[in-house]
Amino acid sequence: MYKNKSNKLNNLLKNSLIKLPTPININLFWNLGSMLGLCLMIQIISGLFLAFRYTPDIILAFSSINNIMNEAWYGFLFRNIHANGASMFFCLYIHVGRGIYFKSFLFKNTWNMGVIMLLLIMGTAFMGYVLPWGQMSFWGSTVITNLISSIPYLGNYLVQWIWGGFSVNNPTLTRFFCIHFIMPFLILFLTIIHLFFLHMTGSNNPLGINSNVYKISFNPFFSMKDLMGFLFLFIILIYIVSFKPYLLGDSDNFILANPLITPEHIQPEWYFLFAYAILRSIPSKLGGVIALLMSILILFFLPLLNLSKMKSNQFYPLSKVFFWLLILTIILLTWIGMRPVEEPYILIGQILSIMYFFIFMINPLFQKLFDKIIW
């Protein structure tokens, strides 16, 4: 009986991992999923070693980071890998972009699970940014958590509950550390569910057609491509960690958090800047929070907004223009997020924010119109 169960498990692993039927025409953009899995494992392992020496206390947190960097055996390496690995992790934006372009959102269960994971990863990254307890960590957490106070009636109570007091203080840091430590394991669990849904439906492909006739075994053809992707990721990460470890960070975070001195420009990490720019562009605080949330939550509605017959944007010439216009808009919003809150950056940010949501709404209508003309 035990032998039969073992054989069934081995067959399941072979069919789902080694001999998984995979569309023959998928390109390098389909390697990003496995690269993100590798990034997750790098973050979990490096974070575990950092947690051995980190102290979640507002008096000791900053000095514990210095201790890791200067006293712990290869502590600087683990810390730089973890900090820059977070930036590498957000190549998941390219993963999402590929899903939008090739309409992977038509596989609703896989897509929705992926969006949930994106939200959790963003939340985990935000809490991790607070832990060094530098100036930008403190003031960034103060500004972002204060946004919850815009919720009618309950806002102020929720903010104080999250803070554990009347300001960002020791209870806040402690609970952020606990959540930041636990969340990657939840994300790992959701990744398994994400893969389960993916293997149920099979991978999408650039043509968006049923490719059951044109599938080959995942191993060795695509596993070798994944290994090349891993090598590429390691080369970039090792280069940044070795030669430019603070390229993607903020210099203000090398200063101990001081509630009495506000930095000249408060801004989050680069991977949040586009959403931060949308938040700043709305004059109303509550409206800004709603726009901030919708900048990500709109991904949930893509399956509902799809009105076209074709299962890939590449068959619609205007949709390709809209897609690259969306990419340009996100890049410009990221740039606006780094600029001071003054003209002309305020006006440019408002125009770009409108464009961001407008593209998501107008693209399905043009595809529907194109279908009517062609078909």
Side-chain angles (χ1 to χ4, degrees), residues 187-299:
I187 294 168
L188 180 61
F189 174 71
L190 294 180
T191 301
I192 296 170
I193 298 176
H194 185 64
L195 289 172
F196 174 75
F197 285 135
L198 177 66
H199 289 179
M200 281 181 64
T201 58
S203 294
N204 190 18
N205 63 84
L207 294 178
I209 60 175
N210 189 328
S211 58
N212 287 336
V213 181
Y214 304 102
K215 287 185 176 181
I216 56 176
S217 174
F218 180 83
N219 186 66
F221 303 103
F222 295 105
S223 57
M224 291 302 296
K225 288 177 68 177
D226 280 346
L227 289 176
M228 292 299 293
F230 293 169
L231 181 61
F232 179 71
L233 177 71
F234 275 125
I235 289 172
I236 294 177
L237 183 59
I238 290 170
Y239 174 79
I240 294 175
V241 168
S242 301
F243 299 104
K244 304 281 185 181
Y246 308 117
L247 176 67
L248 302 171
D250 195 299
S251 57
D252 279 337
N253 236 25
F254 290 96
I255 304 170
L256 177 64
N258 188 343
L260 302 178
I261 301 175
T262 307
E264 186 177 357
H265 301 301
I266 299 174
Q267 64 184 51
E269 288 281 71
W270 69 267
Y271 37 78
F272 294 140
L273 286 173
F274 81 96
Y276 182 61
I278 293 174
L279 167 70
R280 290 190 336 187
S281 299
I282 311 297
S284 165
K285 188 176 181 180
L286 179 59
V289 173
I290 293 172
L292 171 69
L293 292 173
M294 285 307 300
S295 66
I296 304 299
L297 294 180
I298 196 170
L299 297 175

